[in-house]
Amino acid sequence: MINRRKLLKTGAAAGFAVSAGGLAMPALAQGTRIKIGYVSPQSGPLVLC
């Protein structure tokens, strides 16, 4: 019979195992350039809606 405590322990262990599996994957943007900047209005005021 499964009780609440056993269900929570099993769920926590499964969640940790799933999330830790993604840590060993290589970065997808490796070897590509990343542009860093900001968008600013060139003609007129910035309108925030």
Side-chain angles (χ1 to χ4, degrees), residues 16-42:
F16 179 74
V18 169
S19 66
L23 295 176
M25 296 178 66
L28 296 176
Q30 190 174 14
T32 60
R33 291 186 180 193
I34 299 174
K35 293 184 180 180
I36 299 175
Y38 64 94
V39 177
S40 64
Q42 297 297 315

Side-chain angles (χ1 to χ4, degrees), residues 1-15:
M1 182 172 172
I2 190 166
N3 57 13
R4 182 176 177 219
R5 183 175 295 195
K6 187 173 184 179
L7 178 67
L8 289 175
K9 283 184 180 180
T10 306

